[in-house]
Amino acid sequence: MTRFLLLSSRAEDVAAVGEHAAFLRFGGLRADELEQVRMEAAPFLPVDLDRYDGVIVGGSPYDASKPEDEKSPVQRRVEAEVSSLLDEIVDRDLPFLGACYGVGTLGVHQGAVIDGTYAEPIGAVTVTLTDAGRADPLLAALPESFDAFVGHKEACRVLPPEAVLLASSATCPVQMFRVRENLYATQFHPELDLAGITTRIGVYRDYGYYRPGEYDEVIARVQAADVWAPPLILEAFVRRYAR
């Protein structure tokens, strides 16, 4: 049986359930093929990685670059556990795909500089593949440039030393990178369609992603976007690594 592990850190049920459903849908997986662990709910280590074909990390309201004394105890625990798990994942080069928070997890673990320099408001941006991105098997079905949904208060300013840049945008130079052969992180959200991002916009209304009173404007902005290509990354990830 194909098994992937989805690590989520969304305390709101509607967002966590929706995230799981999105990865199932766009990955072409059955419910029993994608196990979700809600990291914020309780300590989740140890994890028997031999059970899984790959690990997926969803987005998160956590900001990795926030000063340690401003992070909640839950965030500090989650970050410590993820870092410990990444020790083994990276050592094995076990297939890994981190969506948005993947940059803050895999990136930090591998020595990236994460800060607010290249934050992007909620909306769609044009992402362009690098030469390495065009040659990467996970991106073979994507056009050279495509629109993707973003919305983040921090991003990767300096790539990890051993990382390969796969995609960029005008407003955020690091939109996707790879470490070793099988470890991927995206700043954009490959799991989000219009319904998914609309739900998130409502759930995180008070989290500082947009100013009070801008809800209708933000909704109109995403409704005007034509985002179809990023989910192909999830399909390719499952197809490539499912045993």
Side-chain angles (χ1 to χ4, degrees):
M1 178 185 298
T2 300
R3 292 297 296 256
F4 290 88
L5 175 64
L6 171 61
L7 299 176
S8 297
S9 56
R10 301 185 182 279
E12 303 81 3
D13 288 344
V14 64
V17 171
E19 182 171 75
H20 185 242
F23 280 109
L24 286 175
R25 175 186 173 194
F26 292 121
L29 294 164
R30 301 189 309 268
D32 63 347
E33 294 176 323
L34 181 63
E35 179 182 343
Q36 184 180 34
V37 170
R38 294 182 60 174
M39 300 184 291
E40 87 294 338
F44 62 92
L45 295 183
V47 172
D48 180 6
L49 291 175
D50 290 335
R51 296 181 55 222
Y52 305 105
D53 296 338
V55 176
I56 299 168
V57 171
S60 177
Y62 298 152
D63 293 324
S65 61
K66 182 183 290 187
E68 287 298 309
D69 61 356
E70 296 180 16
K71 295 177 181 178
S72 70
V74 172
Q75 179 176 349
R76 290 196 296 269
R77 173 186 59 76
V78 168
E79 289 179 347
E81 291 187 296
V82 170
S83 180
S84 177
L85 189 61
L86 279 169
D87 289 343
E88 185 175 357
I89 289 172
V90 173
D91 184 63
R92 293 183 179 207
D93 197 18
L94 181 74
F96 175 91
L97 177 61
C100 194
Y101 192 45
V103 170
T105 52
L106 181 62
V108 168
H109 186 272
Q110 292 296 294
V113 176
I114 309 294
D115 61 24
T117 303
Y118 297 112
E120 293 177 300
I122 296 173
V125 300
T126 299
V127 174
T128 301
L129 300 181
T130 64
D131 290 343
R134 289 192 291 273
D136 191 281
L138 218 62
L139 302 171
L142 277 74
E144 182 176 347
S145 293
F146 55 90
D147 285 351
F149 285 128
V150 298
H152 51 98
K153 293 179 280 186
E154 62 179 11
C156 181
R157 178 167 58 85
V158 179
L159 271 175
E162 304 301 322
V164 177
L165 181 65
L166 300 178
S168 299
S169 71
T171 48
C172 183
V174 180
Q175 284 286 355
M176 185 174 183
F177 65 82
R178 186 187 73 241
V179 174
R180 303 190 70 177
E181 293 298 317
N182 301 310
L183 311 171
Y184 294 87
T186 68
Q187 186 62 75
F188 59 89
H189 284 276
E191 83 284 10
L192 284 184
D193 58 5
L194 178 58
I197 195 167
T198 299
T199 297
R200 299 253 184 102
I201 290 168
V203 169
Y204 295 107
R205 183 190 294 260
D206 300 319
Y207 281 68
Y209 292 101
Y210 56 93
R211 292 191 297 271
E214 288 186 334
Y215 175 83
D216 291 340
E217 176 186 335
V218 174
I219 290 294
R221 194 159 63 228
V222 299
Q223 287 177 337
D226 181 19
V227 174
W228 59 270
L232 296 174
I233 297 171
L234 302 181
E235 180 182 339
F237 184 80
V238 170
R239 185 173 60 248
R240 182 181 181 190
Y241 294 119
R243 289 177 289 191

